[in-house]
Amino acid sequence: MDFADVALFRSIVAAGSLSAAARQMGTTPMLVSRRLAALEAELGARLFHRTTRSLSLTPEGEAFLPHAGALIAARDSAFESVSSAGSGLSGLLKVTAPNVIGHAVIVPVVADLIADNPALRVDLVLSDDRADIAALGLDVAVRVAPMKPSELIATRLADNPYVVCASPAYIARFGEPATLSDLVSHPCIKLHAMETWPFVRGGEPEQIRIAGPLSASTVDAVRAACMAGVGVAMMTYWDVYRQLERGELKRIALADAEPVELGIWAVFLTRAHMPIRVRAFIDALRKRLLAGAAA
């Protein structure tokens, strides 16, 4: 099987059309179509439903997609094992992560990796939307969540509990809630993606519906409003750890409940034949997170 055609298949999925994939690769749609047809002939299966207006994966294409990623990863790992020994990391590392932790933690990690490995290139996509790793041809996704069963492989890098917090100015003016029932009487800053705030009370999960004068679409906006004294907010530890350390925000501990514990995870398609650059990135990220948690 031609690895270039397998990579082409992944590029078509990511681009959404044959013509878009052709533009990205600097070739013609006709050549892309011919190479795709050759791959389909070799597999004995049609990978896409194609019309003049749309392109979508067939069930066979969806089944082949994660294997295509594994094949490319195996190829890269094989090349690295014989060409990168003693010369550092090389190739393209494709990573996605949430905005806040991406700016605060991941950018410094990849900056250090690039400085130490001149042949390494990094494509970093920062977005609070959950990306499709296989469809976009990503090496690893950093996610903040309680992980659910899936076809993907995940490794936990660090704890990341939710934190209820407010600014010192807000607490001086309004006091701080001591219990869950106190909390719902305070003005709270709502993140659009969180309809309720998750707690554990008496060993059981409990969702609390909050209200307040401001809701926002990004963690950055919620954090800024909280620092400005607008109200109480719930964010994850790594969203606010610097502000907590500097005293710009204060963690609020409730007597009868604790915020839900989340984790920071590295998610990837397969552990087999993982490129050296991916392993190095995950190890460096884990080291930085653990150092930050201990600080």
Side-chain angles (χ1 to χ4, degrees), residues 219-234:
V219 172
D220 288 318
V222 171
R223 183 178 57 203
C226 189
M227 292 170 62
V230 172
V232 179
M234 174 180 271

Side-chain angles (χ1 to χ4, degrees), residues 78-187:
F79 279 123
E80 287 183 2
S81 68
V82 296
S83 63
S84 297
S87 61
L89 307 175
S90 63
L92 177 62
L93 173 67
K94 300 183 72 174
V95 180
T96 185
N99 276 295
V100 174
I101 196 169
H103 286 102
V105 181
I106 294 175
V107 168
V109 168
V110 299
D112 288 345
L113 288 175
I114 290 170
D116 293 337
N117 302 275
L120 178 67
R121 295 174 294 125
V122 179
D123 183 354
L124 178 59
V125 178
L126 298 183
S127 173
D128 293 327
D129 296 328
R130 180 160 294 195
D132 187 327
I133 300 175
L136 296 177
L138 299 170
D139 292 305
V140 59
V142 178
R143 291 179 178 166
V144 177
M147 293 303 297
K148 299 178 181 179
S150 73
E151 294 181 355
L152 302 176
I153 307 299
T155 182
R156 191 182 181 103
L157 302 177
D159 294 336
N160 193 29
Y162 276 120
V163 175
V164 178
C165 54
S167 70
Y170 174 90
I171 292 172
R173 184 177 179 186
F174 298 104
E176 61 181 279
T179 64
L180 279 180
S181 59
D182 289 342
L183 177 63
V184 297
S185 67
H186 278 255

Side-chain angles (χ1 to χ4, degrees), residues 33 46 57 61 63 77 94 123 151 161 170 209 233 243 245:
S33 181
R46 193 171 182 82
L57 285 168
S77 180
K94 300 183 72 174
D123 183 354
E151 294 181 355
Y170 174 90
R209 191 165 295 277
Q243 289 72 29
E245 289 176 352

Side-chain angles (χ1 to χ4, degrees), residues 32-102:
V32 168
S33 181
R34 287 176 180 173
R35 289 176 56 189
L36 175 60
L39 178 62
E40 289 178 327
E42 185 166 6
L43 291 171
R46 193 171 182 82
L47 299 175
F48 292 100
H49 296 297
R50 299 194 287 277
T51 70
T52 56
R53 294 181 176 272
S54 67
L55 182 79
S56 62
L57 285 168
T58 63
E60 292 78 12
E62 292 179 352
F64 181 63
L65 184 57
H67 295 291
L71 286 168
I72 298 302
R75 179 202 63 180
D76 292 347
S77 180
F79 279 123
E80 287 183 2
S81 68
V82 296
S83 63
S84 297
S87 61
L89 307 175
S90 63
L92 177 62
L93 173 67
K94 300 183 72 174
V95 180
T96 185
N99 276 295
V100 174
I101 196 169

Side-chain angles (χ1 to χ4, degrees), residues 4 34 41 44 54 179 190 201 282 289:
R34 287 176 180 173
S54 67
T179 64
K190 178 182 174 183
R201 176 156 58 175
I282 292 172
L289 288 168

